[in-house]
Amino acid sequence: ARRDTTVVAPQTLWSLNNRRAWQQAQHLAARAVREVGPDPATCVERAWRIALARAPSATEKTQAVQLVEQLAADTTGAPLENPPAELAAMPAAQGSGLAKVCLAILNLNEFVWID
């Protein structure tokens, strides 16, 4: 099977902006926190294993953890609305950052497409 190349990305735009996808990303982040604790590095690794059934490469893990930290440092974003309990127990910016990284994981081609 072969996928056609296109300049239109409606599925990706939908999954990045849809409320249901955002909720699922928050639940993925909450599950990771529940299973391994609030440390961003272990959460990223656990979320990666849940979503993709593999560990992230060293580069993927480093970049994802850096992104969580950058997003947590950005205080201009709105706090999560009705976050799962695990994310509500964390500093708001860190929980939001982790959820956003989980949304990115759920939008990776490896998650979206079956090869």
Side-chain angles (χ1 to χ4, degrees):
R2 189 174 192 153
R3 291 187 295 272
D4 293 328
T5 303
T6 180
V7 295
V8 180
Q11 180 178 4
T12 301
L13 293 174
W14 178 89
S15 60
L16 282 172
N17 296 304
N18 183 272
R19 184 186 326 158
R20 173 82 61 199
W22 177 237
Q23 289 171 341
Q24 292 305 310
Q26 289 181 58
H27 287 292
L28 175 59
R31 179 178 170 188
V33 171
R34 183 173 57 249
E35 292 180 4
V36 298
D39 175 59
T42 56
C43 285
V44 163
E45 185 166 348
R46 184 65 188 134
W48 216 277
R49 286 182 180 278
I50 292 167
L52 303 176
R54 68 169 179 88
S57 69
T59 302
E60 290 169 333
K61 184 176 179 178
T62 300
Q63 290 176 346
V65 171
Q66 287 175 347
L67 183 56
V68 170
E69 292 168 353
Q70 287 175 337
L71 292 169
D74 180 12
T75 58
T76 61
L80 298 174
E81 285 185 30
N82 302 319
E86 295 84 356
L87 297 183
M90 300 173 72
Q94 185 180 7
S96 178
L98 182 59
K100 288 174 183 174
V101 168
C102 285
L103 182 62
I105 291 170
L106 295 177
N107 278 279
L108 291 171
N109 279 340
E110 189 174 346
F111 182 80
V112 175
W113 299 102
I114 298 173
D115 285 331

